[in-house]
Amino acid sequence: MPAERAGYTVTMFLVDTSPSMGTLRTVDLPPGPDGESRTTKLTNLEWALQFVKLKVQEMIFNGRKTDQCGVVVFGSEETDNIVNEKNGGYENVMEYIPISQPNAGTLAKIDALQPSSVFGDPIDAVIVGIETQANYLSSKKTWTRKVIMVTDGENPIEVEDWEATVAKMDGLDVSLTIVGVDFDDEELPYTEPNKTIIKRANEEFYNTLTSTMKSGVLGSCAFALRETTRPEIKQTRSTLMGTVLRLGDVDTRGKEAIEIVVKTSKCTALTRPKSWKKFGVRPNNPTDKMNVDDETEENNEKNVVYSQLRMRTEYYVDPNADNEEDEEGDVKMKEEDEGLDEGKEDNEKSMAKDQNLQKVDREELIRGFKYGTTYVPCPEGQFPKLPTRKGIDICGFFGEKNFRRELSMGEIQYIWADPSSPQQQVAISSIVQAMCEKEVMAIARWVTKDGMDPKMGVLWPTRFDKVDCLLWSHMPFADDVRKYTFASLDHLVSKKGDAIKEHPYIPTKAQLTAMDEFVDAMDLMDAGEKDEAGSRLPWFDTLLSYNPAVHRTKQAIFHSAVVSDIETNPLPPPHPDLVKYFEPPKRVLKRARGPLEECKNAFKVKQVPKKIAKAKKEGHVHARDEDDMLLLDRKQPALDRTSSQSRITVTIASSSRAPVAASDSDTEDDDDAEFLLDKKITSALAPLTNEVTPLPTPARSVSPQVDLGREPGRIIGATYPLKDFEKNVAQGDLISKAVNDLGAVITEIVMRPFASRRTTELLDCMQALRKTSLEEDEIDAWNAFLTNLKGKCLSRPGNEAFWLGVKKSERGLGLISNKEARQQGGISTVSEGQAEEFFAI
Amino acid sequence: MPPYDDWNKFDDEDDEELQDTLFFESKKDVILFCIDCSESMLSLYDDPNYEDVQTCHLYAALEAAMQIQKKKIIVGPNDSVGILLFNTTRKSEQGQSHASEIKRNTFVYQPITPLGAPKVQELIQLLDAAREDPNELTKTFPPLVGKRVPMGDVFTSCNWVLRDGAPKTASKRVFLITDEDDPHIGPGSKQLITSARTTLIDLTQAGVTVEPFFISTEDKPFHVSKFYSSVLLPSNLNDEDELQEDSSVLPESISISRIEDLLAQMRFHEVPKRAQYSVPLQLGEGFTIGVKGYGLVTEQKKGAYKYFVDLGDRMEVATVKTTYIDEDQEAEVDKAKIVYGPTLGATATNDDEDNQDADDGFGTRVVKDGNRPFYTAEEIRSFRTLGLEPGIKLLGFKDRSELAFEDNIKHSQFIYPDEMSYSGSKRTFSALLKSMIKKEKIGLALALTRRNASPTFCYLLPQEEKVDDSGWSEPAGFHIIPLPFADDIRSAPVEEGFRASEDLKDFARAWIDKLSVKNGTYPPDSYPNPALAYHNAQLQASAFREQYHPDSFEDLTAPKLEMIHKRAGKLLGEWKSAVNNDESANVTVATTGSKRKADVTVDEAEIRSKYDAGTLAKLRVDQLKEFLKAKGQAVSGKKAELMERVAEWFDAH
């Protein structure tokens, strides 16, 4: 059977609206905003119609004129069908929607279907369906004919002579799909409990019917609905474009130059998500309102009209606020905006005035380019183009091992020899084979059409089972490559010009080993499915990786087309196939668990607190609040310009330079938290600039704004840890949190470069921390902190000097032993001996 | 009507590529060339390129500045450039041309203003004059004799000049060009070093990056350690990078080069380095480092033309505003209130009885009050991102050989560790890179680089750090190569074809051997985009009000025909006759169409003889078409046109 042609299809939907279809059922909805499970009640008809609507929407989505459908209802109160008209009989079967290309109106009409009070016979409907279809297609014999029936199978069927119907359908090449509500399904798997005898018999009949037919399918509605979201790849047949592959001078030395007739076609082509149409709520105009008022008595439901929007482009120019011109502009605008209603015009005028812009008529515009501030007119929109000649010119060959894969710029193209010329095929084949043998690829220049801009690229020889061809990849011109300089990761040079061998940036041997093990553990080469021979294949195959954006968007488009409200009927989760490569395979994760832990311990990566996004304008002064601090309380370390990176952040924030791509550099941080933090700082600091003259440090010519260095969720900042801590302790709340946070902050500062400048301050902090811990029964927290700090200081990269400082203070900063604890009425798990020993090692 | 609007027709969410370039263009770049004008910079020597011409370092520096200006004006038409000279006795004319008086013995040759043709021409004229008379530069900018301006004064002047001329939000850079490695000898040098350092800090705090270009010659080698290493800041504070850099480490961007390489060195810095994104790279659960992404390969397109309005005295660019309107009501709709839905179908006329606006041209959808079958912009975005946050997530490792040639769809990006978001990123990144290079592995990752992008799978291709002869180093990092999805891959439309014999392959091999470059690769640097250069040359000529001579244009991408024929001409001829004598020449492919086609095969010789005899008209249309098709020509049009095209082909061949 030849491949099915897209479009050129008439699909007949046969919908069962018998009374039994009105039975209510509970349908699961995707979890709500807080993860709670939700359900809704639908009639079987509404549920089954979702499938019909999704199918119809697919046709609307594809937008083919030759993809048409019609709807026949059985179990309708009325009888209206061509067979009945001709021969009588076939009662309660109605041609509900005549065959045509569907649109949003079709969906609305399907929505209006309600269960009726009479039965209709499915076989009657099938016959009406194929008759109507055959009638419509009488002059289009080659079209594909499909019939899709949705039913609950609860009503009697007149089964005699069904073989004749099958014969007729086979004769017309009709394919029949029966979608049954709660039919038993082995694949799901599903078996309906308490199935009625009549339904059981009907399911059996449908089974016989569909399996007797040449192309018949029987399935359950639940399965059919799930399958509509399966990512499906739209097969695009690439067109073959003719061109010439050249080597040498074909004009003057034709005897020694090559010219091969080739066809090109796309090998990869970027697919984008289908675009959305923009809609806006149409405001009710007065006449409409009147109508609505009239209707309210009979009909309490108001309707909202969403109308599709169109884009309009307008041109404005800034005449530099010259009064005369401004007036002129207003006049002009009035003329142009004549069609608009009053309010609108005013609105626009004030807007234009605000920004000092004048609307300009398109016809007054002149095309041209900017050469810096110089205007270069170019009414054509482009200068004369470089004269070029269509074809692919080979420039030379180079070894494929030297190919720089990362330079490949775009979509790949196949280059085939002319399929109708064996001689050309042999010519290409000889070149491909020779290139493969020598392991070289070619540099080539491609002009797609006479006069088109040339592209450079490479040709890669490829041998398929039965044909040889070349693949083209577009490569960059000199202009397309940016050469940024990056600091070396390995070669750090000191100011004296010596190489630095040990540095926090350079991984240690132990770290390298940990990483090696991690890389081995996370190997995917044996993590895929097993092949026929039983050996495992690599995990991940491009041919099974669907573009999540494309398919999710499509699912969402379909969903919004068939439901009436997104809030109450949200989009179901994506099909599992769409996200199957989003997580590494379980096997691998399990294997890597150990090495991952090793790595975490070895590398000790820490997230750095986010810097302030931007200094607020000075005019925007907030009132002081209790968080305010007096400048005099500030400690010297905070004023040290290079003491910590948070200080440098401040320098940036206070310069007027906007941070680069700040909005893009967001990490998982909670944006709200950051906003709050930001605000607080501004309010705390704004008064400084007003009341206090700049500080005496010479380098500080800009107004000081201080980042408290608080990480989100912390109450102790890195800038004034002791102050923050004392304030909290004084207030008496959140002692445990304050103790833990100060511990964390101290550890952090100690591990930073330049920590030595803050040694005294940190030791003060520790003193305070120990005192509070002892008094407030946070002894375990202190002991844990100290043990951790020791570990960190003595490991690499560490801060041995600081630890020596701690040690020097003798027992003043040591572990809190049970003896000492008891004096304060506390408990400690550390013995006196242990506490002594702690500093000894 | 449509073509008129074509160039601004883009959908903000739809076109990612476009956003990239917009992002680059929106930010202005300012460069202040700060050139030493001392005696040694002005001392003449024989030009290495031209005979009987004398040149000097200052000339080379100014010429480089001119070239950079020319390039910038095309790449970033809104950027500004200025030139400041130091160690010259020339004074600014009135002193009033600038808001602030700058330090003695520094001179603003060109204040910072947006680039324009007159500015570039001014410099070109100066350079031309200097070519004529080697002493012209010494006359124009008399050097300070016997002493030097303190570097602190130079930096202060830079600061003032930038403050006067540079827009606040621009990225600001000073290109410092000097050949003196120890400007402050003698007493007081320590103090001068301190002041230089302090003023440099001021400059940096004003958001300015200093990029030094030091000239080193055999007679006068340049040693950074003498003076500059104690002055230059460890890093560019305003560059988001390396804020934390240990002060014991030298800045990354010091270029010390021979004067001939000055321009090449500047080229590296021509575009300010800007990260496209900064995202977390998750290696495993709870094991995340920070990286920044850079676009190292991006297609450079011709500038789009703009619309201008004649205001009488000058031309002004028209700004374009796009609004969305409800056509029926002629009412503009607030951007925030726009909702998104599916197309209503091709024939969405409202045959719905409930609809009162039955005569609507453009679609409407009527719903009950309170219902909303449309999505908000936020919801739409979540469909694209699948609810993921920006980041790169490692999925595992594969062999290097798994990265196929054909698995490409887009240009790659480059990532480099960002110590500022996660401390420890550098060591972790470095260890990962080393391990992967050693094991010949590539990484597979799921990447969502920006909030409005969509997730893609990509391979992480490790690049080892390498330094080449020109001083350019291949940075260490990963290339992110986006993979095509199943949706992007097209099957091969040709499945079967004739294949060459072993003999024929050997004939081909013979000339391929001759035309292969040993140890060669694809050299992007050798191929400047000819169409772009041609366009820009015309643009420049037009701006300078000069006549453009197309003959002067050389297309460097054209194949080197002479070389090809010299090396392999004979072998090509041999291969050709072997192909012609191949038995496949006698095979005709049986067409498998359902319709029976008339025999259209006519051999070329026959058509040529008809052409020579002027009897092409005797051929049938399908025969003409077949011939044209075989030659890759268009097959559209009437018979007369086809004949003409065939005749043209024979004329040309």
Side-chain angles (χ1 to χ4, degrees), chain A residues 249 261 304 316 366 373 437 445 468 487-488 490 516 523-524 545 551 556 565 606 608, chain B residues 115 308 319 367 372 375 397 416 421 423 434-435 438 441 465 487 499 505 509 555 565 630:
Chain A
D249 180 357
V261 180
V304 178
Y316 292 89
I366 306 158
T373 51
E437 185 183 87
R445 177 183 189 264
D468 298 328
S488 170
D490 294 335
D516 279 349
D523 201 292
L524 298 172
S545 74
H551 294 284
D565 188 35
K606 282 227 61 171
V608 176
Chain B
L115 283 160
F308 290 83
T319 42
V367 299
R372 173 175 66 97
Y375 301 105
F397 300 96
Y416 185 81
S421 56
S423 65
K434 285 185 180 14
S435 188
K438 188 171 74 188
K441 291 282 174 187
E465 192 168 313
D487 312 71
R499 292 189 131 146
K505 179 208 72 192
R509 174 74 194 255
D555 181 353
H565 283 279

Short mmCIF file of all heavy atoms in Angstrom, two decimals, chain A residues 249 261 304 316 366 373 437 445 468 487-488 490 516 523-524 545 551 556 565 606 608, chain B residues 115 308 319 367 372 375 397 416 421 423 434-435 438 441 465 487 499 505 509 555 565 630:
data_model
loop_
_atom_site.label_atom_id
_atom_site.label_comp_id
_atom_site.label_asym_id
_atom_site.label_seq_id
_atom_site.Cartn_x
_atom_site.Cartn_y
_atom_site.Cartn_z
N ASP A 249 38.05 25.13 -13.08
CA ASP A 249 37.56 26.20 -13.94
C ASP A 249 36.78 25.58 -15.09
O ASP A 249 37.35 25.11 -16.08
CB ASP A 249 38.78 26.99 -14.44
CG ASP A 249 38.38 28.12 -15.35
OD1 ASP A 249 37.17 28.26 -15.62
OD2 ASP A 249 39.28 28.85 -15.79
N VAL A 261 25.96 17.07 -11.83
CA VAL A 261 24.60 17.50 -11.54
C VAL A 261 24.17 16.83 -10.24
O VAL A 261 24.21 15.61 -10.11
CB VAL A 261 23.65 17.12 -12.67
CG1 VAL A 261 22.24 17.57 -12.34
CG2 VAL A 261 24.12 17.72 -13.97
N VAL A 304 -18.98 36.58 26.67
CA VAL A 304 -17.82 37.43 26.47
C VAL A 304 -17.28 37.12 25.09
O VAL A 304 -17.17 35.95 24.70
CB VAL A 304 -16.74 37.15 27.53
CG1 VAL A 304 -15.51 38.00 27.28
CG2 VAL A 304 -17.29 37.41 28.91
N TYR A 316 7.09 56.56 14.04
CA TYR A 316 7.14 57.83 14.74
C TYR A 316 8.51 58.45 14.56
O TYR A 316 9.49 57.74 14.34
CB TYR A 316 6.89 57.64 16.24
CG TYR A 316 5.48 57.21 16.56
CD1 TYR A 316 5.15 55.87 16.60
CD2 TYR A 316 4.50 58.16 16.82
CE1 TYR A 316 3.86 55.47 16.88
CE2 TYR A 316 3.21 57.76 17.10
CZ TYR A 316 2.89 56.41 17.13
OH TYR A 316 1.62 56.04 17.41
N ILE A 366 11.96 57.06 3.95
CA ILE A 366 12.98 56.75 2.95
C ILE A 366 13.85 55.65 3.54
O ILE A 366 14.24 55.72 4.70
CB ILE A 366 13.86 57.97 2.66
CG1 ILE A 366 12.98 59.15 2.28
CG2 ILE A 366 14.86 57.65 1.57
CD1 ILE A 366 13.67 60.48 2.49
N THR A 373 26.76 57.92 12.75
CA THR A 373 25.77 58.98 12.79
C THR A 373 25.40 59.43 11.37
O THR A 373 24.53 60.24 11.18
CB THR A 373 26.31 60.20 13.54
OG1 THR A 373 27.59 60.52 12.98
CG2 THR A 373 26.46 59.91 15.01
N GLU A 437 38.08 6.73 2.06
CA GLU A 437 39.30 5.95 2.16
C GLU A 437 40.44 6.79 2.72
O GLU A 437 41.19 6.37 3.58
CB GLU A 437 39.66 5.43 0.76
CG GLU A 437 40.85 4.49 0.73
CD GLU A 437 41.15 4.11 -0.71
OE1 GLU A 437 41.91 4.84 -1.38
OE2 GLU A 437 40.59 3.09 -1.16
N ARG A 445 32.14 26.08 -1.27
CA ARG A 445 31.45 27.37 -1.27
C ARG A 445 30.17 27.18 -2.04
O ARG A 445 30.16 26.70 -3.17
CB ARG A 445 32.36 28.38 -1.98
CG ARG A 445 31.81 29.77 -2.15
CD ARG A 445 32.87 30.54 -2.93
NE ARG A 445 32.61 31.95 -3.04
CZ ARG A 445 32.01 32.51 -4.09
NH1 ARG A 445 31.58 31.75 -5.07
NH2 ARG A 445 31.84 33.81 -4.12
N ASP A 468 25.81 6.39 -2.09
CA ASP A 468 26.82 7.26 -1.51
C ASP A 468 26.39 8.71 -1.69
O ASP A 468 25.84 9.07 -2.74
CB ASP A 468 28.17 7.07 -2.22
CG ASP A 468 28.68 5.65 -2.06
OD1 ASP A 468 28.39 5.05 -1.01
OD2 ASP A 468 29.36 5.16 -2.98
N ALA A 487 40.44 33.76 30.95
CA ALA A 487 41.58 33.48 31.80
C ALA A 487 41.88 31.99 31.75
O ALA A 487 40.98 31.17 31.63
CB ALA A 487 41.26 33.90 33.23
N SER A 488 43.15 31.66 31.80
CA SER A 488 43.54 30.27 31.78
C SER A 488 43.08 29.58 33.06
O SER A 488 43.09 30.17 34.12
CB SER A 488 45.06 30.17 31.66
OG SER A 488 45.46 28.85 31.88
N ASP A 490 44.47 26.67 34.03
CA ASP A 490 45.61 25.94 34.58
C ASP A 490 46.79 26.84 34.94
O ASP A 490 47.46 26.63 35.93
CB ASP A 490 46.12 24.91 33.56
CG ASP A 490 45.10 23.84 33.33
OD1 ASP A 490 44.27 23.61 34.23
OD2 ASP A 490 45.12 23.24 32.25
N ASP A 516 37.21 11.76 38.15
CA ASP A 516 37.37 10.62 37.24
C ASP A 516 36.35 9.54 37.55
O ASP A 516 35.73 8.96 36.66
CB ASP A 516 38.78 10.03 37.37
CG ASP A 516 39.80 10.84 36.57
OD1 ASP A 516 39.35 11.69 35.77
OD2 ASP A 516 41.00 10.62 36.75
N ASP A 523 28.58 7.11 33.06
CA ASP A 523 28.70 6.77 31.65
C ASP A 523 27.38 6.22 31.12
O ASP A 523 26.73 5.41 31.76
CB ASP A 523 29.80 5.72 31.46
CG ASP A 523 30.30 5.71 30.05
OD1 ASP A 523 29.53 5.31 29.15
OD2 ASP A 523 31.43 6.13 29.82
N LEU A 524 27.01 6.69 29.96
CA LEU A 524 25.71 6.29 29.39
C LEU A 524 25.86 5.24 28.30
O LEU A 524 24.88 4.80 27.72
CB LEU A 524 25.01 7.52 28.79
CG LEU A 524 24.65 8.65 29.75
CD1 LEU A 524 24.13 9.85 28.98
CD2 LEU A 524 23.60 8.18 30.75
N SER A 545 14.02 11.48 20.71
CA SER A 545 13.92 12.66 21.57
C SER A 545 13.01 13.68 20.91
O SER A 545 13.34 14.24 19.87
CB SER A 545 15.31 13.24 21.82
OG SER A 545 15.79 13.90 20.68
N HIS A 551 5.71 19.82 21.10
CA HIS A 551 4.59 18.92 21.36
C HIS A 551 3.72 19.39 22.52
O HIS A 551 2.51 19.18 22.52
CB HIS A 551 5.10 17.50 21.58
CG HIS A 551 5.72 16.93 20.35
ND1 HIS A 551 4.97 16.49 19.29
CD2 HIS A 551 7.01 16.80 19.98
CE1 HIS A 551 5.78 16.08 18.32
NE2 HIS A 551 7.02 16.27 18.71
N ALA A 556 -1.30 21.93 24.18
CA ALA A 556 -2.01 23.04 24.81
C ALA A 556 -2.98 23.71 23.83
O ALA A 556 -4.09 24.09 24.19
CB ALA A 556 -1.01 24.07 25.34
N ASP A 565 -13.04 26.28 29.51
CA ASP A 565 -12.37 27.09 30.53
C ASP A 565 -11.08 26.41 31.00
O ASP A 565 -11.09 25.22 31.35
CB ASP A 565 -13.31 27.31 31.72
CG ASP A 565 -12.72 28.30 32.71
OD1 ASP A 565 -12.04 29.23 32.26
OD2 ASP A 565 -12.93 28.11 33.92
N LYS A 606 29.98 25.99 46.75
CA LYS A 606 28.97 26.70 47.53
C LYS A 606 28.34 27.79 46.69
O LYS A 606 29.04 28.49 45.95
CB LYS A 606 29.62 27.36 48.76
CG LYS A 606 29.89 26.40 49.88
CD LYS A 606 29.42 26.98 51.21
CE LYS A 606 27.95 27.24 51.21
NZ LYS A 606 27.34 27.60 52.43
N VAL A 608 27.11 31.30 45.98
CA VAL A 608 27.49 32.61 46.52
C VAL A 608 26.22 33.44 46.63
O VAL A 608 25.41 33.45 45.71
CB VAL A 608 28.50 33.29 45.58
CG1 VAL A 608 28.82 34.69 46.06
CG2 VAL A 608 29.76 32.45 45.47
N LEU B 115 30.17 57.42 16.46
CA LEU B 115 30.94 57.33 15.23
C LEU B 115 30.18 57.89 14.06
O LEU B 115 28.95 57.83 14.01
CB LEU B 115 31.25 55.86 14.96
CG LEU B 115 32.36 55.26 15.81
CD1 LEU B 115 32.24 53.75 15.81
CD2 LEU B 115 33.70 55.69 15.27
N PHE B 308 13.93 56.36 7.30
CA PHE B 308 14.31 57.71 7.70
C PHE B 308 13.22 58.69 7.30
O PHE B 308 12.48 58.46 6.35
CB PHE B 308 15.62 58.12 7.02
CG PHE B 308 16.82 57.38 7.55
CD1 PHE B 308 17.14 56.13 7.06
CD2 PHE B 308 17.61 57.93 8.54
CE1 PHE B 308 18.23 55.43 7.55
CE2 PHE B 308 18.71 57.25 9.02
CZ PHE B 308 19.02 56.00 8.53
N THR B 319 11.12 55.64 14.46
CA THR B 319 10.97 54.52 15.38
C THR B 319 9.70 53.77 15.02
O THR B 319 8.71 54.35 14.59
CB THR B 319 10.87 54.98 16.84
OG1 THR B 319 10.02 56.12 16.87
CG2 THR B 319 12.22 55.33 17.40
N VAL B 367 -17.58 33.07 24.53
CA VAL B 367 -17.65 32.13 25.66
C VAL B 367 -18.53 32.72 26.74
O VAL B 367 -18.81 33.92 26.76
CB VAL B 367 -16.24 31.83 26.24
CG1 VAL B 367 -15.36 31.21 25.19
CG2 VAL B 367 -15.61 33.09 26.79
N ARG B 372 -12.63 31.05 30.48
CA ARG B 372 -11.48 31.55 29.75
C ARG B 372 -10.81 30.40 29.01
O ARG B 372 -9.97 29.69 29.57
CB ARG B 372 -10.48 32.20 30.71
CG ARG B 372 -9.16 32.61 30.06
CD ARG B 372 -8.26 33.36 31.01
NE ARG B 372 -7.80 32.52 32.10
CZ ARG B 372 -6.62 31.91 32.12
NH1 ARG B 372 -5.80 32.02 31.11
NH2 ARG B 372 -6.26 31.17 33.14
N TYR B 375 -4.99 31.19 27.04
CA TYR B 375 -3.88 31.17 27.98
C TYR B 375 -3.27 32.57 28.14
O TYR B 375 -3.33 33.38 27.23
CB TYR B 375 -2.78 30.24 27.50
CG TYR B 375 -3.21 28.81 27.32
CD1 TYR B 375 -3.42 28.31 26.05
CD2 TYR B 375 -3.40 27.97 28.41
CE1 TYR B 375 -3.80 26.98 25.86
CE2 TYR B 375 -3.78 26.64 28.23
CZ TYR B 375 -3.98 26.16 26.95
OH TYR B 375 -4.35 24.86 26.77
N PHE B 397 27.59 10.74 30.44
CA PHE B 397 28.71 10.89 29.50
C PHE B 397 28.64 9.85 28.41
O PHE B 397 28.16 8.73 28.62
CB PHE B 397 30.03 10.77 30.25
CG PHE B 397 30.18 11.82 31.32
CD1 PHE B 397 29.84 11.53 32.64
CD2 PHE B 397 30.61 13.08 31.00
CE1 PHE B 397 29.95 12.49 33.62
CE2 PHE B 397 30.72 14.06 31.98
CZ PHE B 397 30.40 13.76 33.29
N TYR B 416 31.99 28.64 30.33
CA TYR B 416 33.19 28.87 31.12
C TYR B 416 32.72 29.05 32.57
O TYR B 416 31.66 29.62 32.81
CB TYR B 416 33.88 30.14 30.60
CG TYR B 416 35.21 30.45 31.23
CD1 TYR B 416 36.36 29.79 30.80
CD2 TYR B 416 35.32 31.37 32.25
CE1 TYR B 416 37.58 30.05 31.38
CE2 TYR B 416 36.55 31.64 32.84
CZ TYR B 416 37.67 30.97 32.40
OH TYR B 416 38.88 31.23 32.99
N SER B 421 28.98 32.91 41.04
CA SER B 421 27.68 32.41 41.46
C SER B 421 27.85 31.20 42.38
O SER B 421 27.06 31.00 43.29
CB SER B 421 26.82 32.08 40.26
OG SER B 421 27.47 31.16 39.42
N SER B 423 31.09 29.40 44.45
CA SER B 423 32.53 29.34 44.69
C SER B 423 32.95 27.88 44.58
O SER B 423 32.25 26.98 45.03
CB SER B 423 32.86 29.93 46.06
OG SER B 423 32.31 29.12 47.06
N LYS B 434 39.30 18.08 32.45
CA LYS B 434 40.49 17.23 32.34
C LYS B 434 40.09 15.77 32.26
O LYS B 434 40.62 15.01 31.46
CB LYS B 434 41.38 17.45 33.56
CG LYS B 434 42.15 18.76 33.53
CD LYS B 434 43.08 18.78 34.73
CE LYS B 434 43.93 19.99 34.90
NZ LYS B 434 43.74 21.18 34.23
N SER B 435 39.14 15.40 33.10
CA SER B 435 38.73 14.01 33.15
C SER B 435 38.11 13.60 31.82
O SER B 435 38.40 12.53 31.28
CB SER B 435 37.73 13.82 34.29
OG SER B 435 37.45 12.48 34.47
N LYS B 438 40.73 13.31 29.06
CA LYS B 438 41.54 12.11 29.26
C LYS B 438 40.78 10.86 28.80
O LYS B 438 41.33 10.00 28.14
CB LYS B 438 41.88 12.00 30.75
CG LYS B 438 42.87 10.92 31.08
CD LYS B 438 43.30 11.02 32.53
CE LYS B 438 42.21 10.54 33.47
NZ LYS B 438 42.51 10.78 34.88
N LYS B 441 35.59 11.63 26.38
CA LYS B 441 34.15 11.59 26.59
C LYS B 441 33.53 12.93 26.22
O LYS B 441 34.21 13.97 26.25
CB LYS B 441 33.83 11.32 28.06
CG LYS B 441 34.20 9.92 28.52
CD LYS B 441 33.16 8.93 28.07
CE LYS B 441 33.59 7.51 28.41
NZ LYS B 441 32.69 6.52 27.83
N GLU B 465 42.88 23.64 26.77
CA GLU B 465 43.51 24.95 26.62
C GLU B 465 44.75 24.82 25.75
O GLU B 465 45.57 23.94 25.94
CB GLU B 465 43.91 25.42 28.01
CG GLU B 465 44.31 26.84 28.07
CD GLU B 465 44.39 27.28 29.52
OE1 GLU B 465 43.45 26.98 30.28
OE2 GLU B 465 45.39 27.88 29.89
N ASP B 487 12.00 15.54 15.73
CA ASP B 487 11.17 16.38 14.86
C ASP B 487 11.99 17.11 13.80
O ASP B 487 11.44 17.58 12.82
CB ASP B 487 10.45 17.44 15.70
CG ASP B 487 9.80 16.87 16.92
OD1 ASP B 487 10.52 16.47 17.85
OD2 ASP B 487 8.58 16.81 16.94
N ARG B 499 26.96 2.79 -7.89
CA ARG B 499 28.21 3.05 -7.17
C ARG B 499 29.41 2.87 -8.08
O ARG B 499 29.35 2.15 -9.08
CB ARG B 499 28.33 2.10 -5.99
CG ARG B 499 27.28 2.42 -4.94
CD ARG B 499 27.55 1.63 -3.71
NE ARG B 499 27.52 2.52 -2.57
CZ ARG B 499 27.06 2.14 -1.38
NH1 ARG B 499 26.64 0.91 -1.18
NH2 ARG B 499 27.05 2.97 -0.39
N LYS B 505 37.26 4.85 -8.25
CA LYS B 505 37.58 5.47 -6.97
C LYS B 505 39.06 5.86 -6.93
O LYS B 505 39.41 6.94 -6.46
CB LYS B 505 37.27 4.48 -5.84
CG LYS B 505 37.60 5.03 -4.46
CD LYS B 505 37.96 3.93 -3.48
CE LYS B 505 39.33 3.36 -3.80
NZ LYS B 505 39.63 2.13 -3.09
N ARG B 509 40.76 9.32 -6.15
CA ARG B 509 41.72 9.42 -5.04
C ARG B 509 42.97 10.20 -5.48
O ARG B 509 43.53 10.98 -4.72
CB ARG B 509 42.07 8.00 -4.59
CG ARG B 509 43.16 7.88 -3.55
CD ARG B 509 42.66 8.33 -2.18
NE ARG B 509 43.78 8.52 -1.27
CZ ARG B 509 44.09 7.68 -0.29
NH1 ARG B 509 43.36 6.61 -0.08
NH2 ARG B 509 45.12 7.92 0.48
N ASP B 555 37.18 38.69 -3.85
CA ASP B 555 36.44 37.69 -3.09
C ASP B 555 37.41 36.60 -2.66
O ASP B 555 37.87 35.79 -3.46
CB ASP B 555 35.33 37.10 -3.98
CG ASP B 555 34.51 36.06 -3.23
OD1 ASP B 555 34.90 35.70 -2.10
OD2 ASP B 555 33.50 35.61 -3.78
N HIS B 565 44.19 23.70 -10.87
CA HIS B 565 44.55 23.15 -12.17
C HIS B 565 46.03 22.82 -12.26
O HIS B 565 46.42 21.86 -12.91
CB HIS B 565 44.13 24.12 -13.29
CG HIS B 565 42.66 24.04 -13.56
ND1 HIS B 565 42.11 23.06 -14.33
CD2 HIS B 565 41.63 24.78 -13.11
CE1 HIS B 565 40.80 23.22 -14.38
NE2 HIS B 565 40.48 24.25 -13.61
N ALA B 630 18.87 19.05 -16.23
CA ALA B 630 20.14 18.36 -16.07
C ALA B 630 21.28 19.34 -15.83
O ALA B 630 22.29 19.01 -15.24
CB ALA B 630 20.43 17.51 -17.31
#
